Amino acid sequence: MATEAKHSGNGGRHDLGHPQAGSVLWLLGPTSAGKTTLATRVVADLRRDGVAAILFDGDEIRDFFGADFGFGADSRLRVVSVLVHLANKAADAGLHVVVAALTAGQDAREHVRANVRNLTIGYVACSTQTCAQRDPKGLYGKAMRGEIDTLIGYNSEYRPPDNPDLVLDTETHSLDELAARIVASYGQHLPTMPHSD
């Protein structure tokens, strides 16, 4: 079970000698569910409100390391491990962190739960059909044409996480609504925020 995420009520502005640890909101969900879009909006809104926030995205990590990371289970876990390390370092420095990453494997999810401090896990829920219709990177199209066979959610099942702290349904709720719910929760405990139906 995740530890309670206690967000700073002073907008992330702390005494430099004794910075208060930030929090980590980890958004996971299938490809094209809207993780990065939601995370980007939340971080932008937090910064607008004077909260020191940073986004780490799984795709950026993969792009940075290039061919060093494939799409097998080991590589996927390595990507998550890098994100865990970055998230903890940033939170230790007093930043509020939002991570957007597929985090499909149970081993990866357990690694996140066991190693990220001040953690809240948000499941960005969206049906495979809607994800395939959105398909901003064309990955579902490639999978349907047989050009790739590693797309979790199409070539293999994306299983929802067990007991996420938040369920954020991007099919039934707008980006504005979901972002506003998250941003409003800073200064409170994120797990108390109402779940999407």
Side-chain angles (χ1 to χ4, degrees):
M1 190 65 187
T3 56
E4 289 186 332
K6 296 182 179 179
H7 298 295
S8 168
N10 63 1
R13 294 181 290 272
H14 307 298
D15 174 36
L16 293 178
H18 300 88
Q20 179 178 333
S23 60
V24 179
L25 172 60
W26 194 289
L27 299 179
L28 58 84
T31 299
S32 302
K35 300 180 296 297
T36 299
T37 300
L38 179 57
T40 301
R41 172 64 178 275
V42 167
V43 168
D45 288 353
L46 288 172
R47 290 176 176 173
R48 177 202 64 204
D49 293 342
V51 177
I54 189 169
L55 166 63
F56 293 118
D57 186 270
D59 287 340
E60 290 181 348
I61 299 300
R62 187 175 292 282
D63 290 344
F64 179 80
F65 285 100
D68 290 343
F69 286 161
F71 291 91
D74 288 346
S75 288
R76 292 182 189 277
L77 182 57
R78 287 176 65 201
V79 170
V80 168
S81 296
V82 171
L83 289 167
V84 165
H85 175 74
L86 292 173
N88 279 333
K89 293 289 282 186
D92 285 348
L95 297 174
H96 292 294
V97 181
V98 181
V99 176
L102 189 74
T103 325
Q106 187 60 31
D107 56 347
R109 294 172 183 180
E110 290 174 357
H111 183 74
V112 171
R113 287 281 193 192
N115 294 284
V116 177
R117 299 178 289 278
N118 296 328
L119 172 68
T120 295
I121 290 184
Y123 171 46
V124 182
C126 187
S127 69
T128 300
Q129 293 80 2
T130 298
C131 288
Q133 289 170 3
R134 292 174 178 172
D135 200 19
K137 299 177 183 177
L139 295 177
Y140 286 91
K142 289 181 179 180
M144 292 173 188
R145 294 189 297 272
E147 297 173 15
I148 58 174
D149 61 4
T150 57
L151 183 61
I152 296 176
Y154 183 84
N155 298 118
S156 59
E157 180 184 6
Y158 186 95
R159 297 186 177 182
D162 296 328
N163 302 314
D165 300 305
L166 304 173
V167 177
L168 303 159
D169 191 327
T170 61
E171 285 189 276
T172 59
H173 296 277
S174 70
L175 175 63
D176 288 346
E177 182 180 0
L178 294 175
R181 287 184 183 181
I182 294 171
V183 170
S185 72
Y186 279 74
Q188 306 170 20
H189 300 312
L190 264 176
T192 65
M193 190 170 71
H195 286 209
S196 300
D197 295 322

